[in-house]
Amino acid sequence: GRTGAAAGPLAGRTVTITAGGTREPLDPVRFLGNRSSGKQGMALAEAALAAGASVNLIAAAVEVPAPAGVRLTRVETALELRSAVLASLAESDVLIMAAAVADFRPAQVAESKIKKTDDAAEPVLQLVRNPDILAESVLRRADTGGPAVIVGFAAETGDPDADPLTHAQLKLKRKGCDLLVLNVVGRDLVFGSDTSAALILAADGSEPLPVEGSKREVAEAVLARAAAALNP
Ligand code: CTP
Ligand code: CA
């Protein structure tokens, strides 16, 4: 790797990791955001460095600093994150989409601050869909020679239609990625916390791998799985 760790299961490999939550502007001072802390993405970056990889970290809004030794690209919106990810595909061996990408953005961004002073009715926000960066990366990997291993993250609750695992299995198929890391949420379990319990699902049909422990331990398990796929 570029920064020293010459040995390790990901030596000579480039790993691109997205982290944090996108912010979708409403006007020059306001945005729609989410509660992603970026901690899982940072743990992935640290674990990838420790495994000897060159790390591209594409960070949206995060509450924690990026580790030294990564190549850091800062982004704000889903569209900026998309551009940065697509630009990294050709050089990446592994892409890990740990960022919480806003599904929707405001249809219009006001050029000046929205004021409440006029007598007009309360504003109604119109939203439009953001592109699915993970699914698009899967579609583009053939023509970019891009990442051999593409990893998604999903935080699922159960609902009357299905349990979290069923939702995650459907999502893995829909996105076409190789691995999907399922965090079960609902209780105050994952967002902003230092620990998580996860299940790593694989498209190759192998048994889901449970990982209990810190975000660093989840990160190490994901990277071990990715390294195994790269070096069979
Ligand atoms: N993701 C993405 N682009 C989006 C939305 C999500 O690349 N516009 C990625 C996330 O980074 C994550 C994975 O897709 O790795 C799953 O995100 P999730 O929000 O669970 O999936 P969605 O397809 O948005 O489904 P849902 O309607 O359940 O939010
Ligand atoms: Ca979503």
Side-chain angles (χ1 to χ4, degrees):
R2 187 177 350 103
T3 53
L10 291 170
R13 305 291 193 173
T14 297
V15 178
T16 295
I17 297 161
T18 67
T22 67
R23 292 178 167 182
E24 309 298 325
L26 279 160
D27 71 13
V29 298
R30 302 187 181 95
F31 58 83
L32 298 180
N34 63 67
R35 293 189 193 281
S36 173
S37 66
K39 286 179 181 172
Q40 183 65 73
M42 295 308 171
L44 284 158
E46 284 164 10
L49 287 170
S54 291
V55 179
N56 286 325
L57 179 64
I58 301 171
V62 292
E63 291 170 6
V64 286
V70 300
R71 197 168 89 206
L72 179 63
T73 304
R74 291 210 161 273
V75 297
E76 184 143 321
T77 65
L79 293 178
E80 289 169 10
L81 191 130
R82 171 179 177 271
S83 300
V85 168
L86 295 183
S88 78
L89 288 180
E91 63 170 352
S92 301
D93 298 293
V94 180
L95 169 65
I96 307 179
M97 286 292 303
V101 182
D103 292 329
F104 305 99
R105 67 179 182 276
Q108 279 105 28
V109 182
E111 267 175 44
S112 47
K113 190 183 165 197
I114 299 166
K115 303 292 276 182
K116 67 178 184 320
T117 45
D118 47 23
D119 296 323
E122 281 82 356
V124 175
L125 291 183
Q126 197 188 343
L127 303 177
V128 294
R129 276 279 278 273
N130 273 326
D132 188 323
I133 301 158
L134 178 58
E136 190 173 353
S137 298
V138 169
L139 286 177
R140 291 204 178 189
R141 89 165 129 187
D143 42 277
T144 58
V149 181
I150 299 183
V151 184
F153 270 74
E156 301 286 351
T157 63
D159 60 32
D161 293 332
D163 59 30
L165 180 59
T166 305
H167 279 301
Q169 277 161 339
L170 291 170
K171 190 167 283 181
L172 174 68
K173 285 224 173 66
R174 197 162 66 234
K175 304 268 185 180
C177 54
D178 305 296
L179 301 174
L180 187 80
V181 184
L182 165 64
N183 286 303
V184 177
V185 296
R187 294 152 290 163
D188 188 21
L189 209 58
V190 171
F191 286 104
S193 77
D194 292 315
T195 60
S196 58
L199 205 54
I200 303 176
L201 310 185
D204 68 8
S206 54
E207 274 296 297
L209 175 71
V211 189
E212 201 132 348
S214 65
K215 291 189 176 184
R216 176 61 185 258
E217 286 167 302
V218 172
E220 282 169 3
V222 170
L223 288 161
R225 197 74 178 62
L230 287 173
N231 318 309

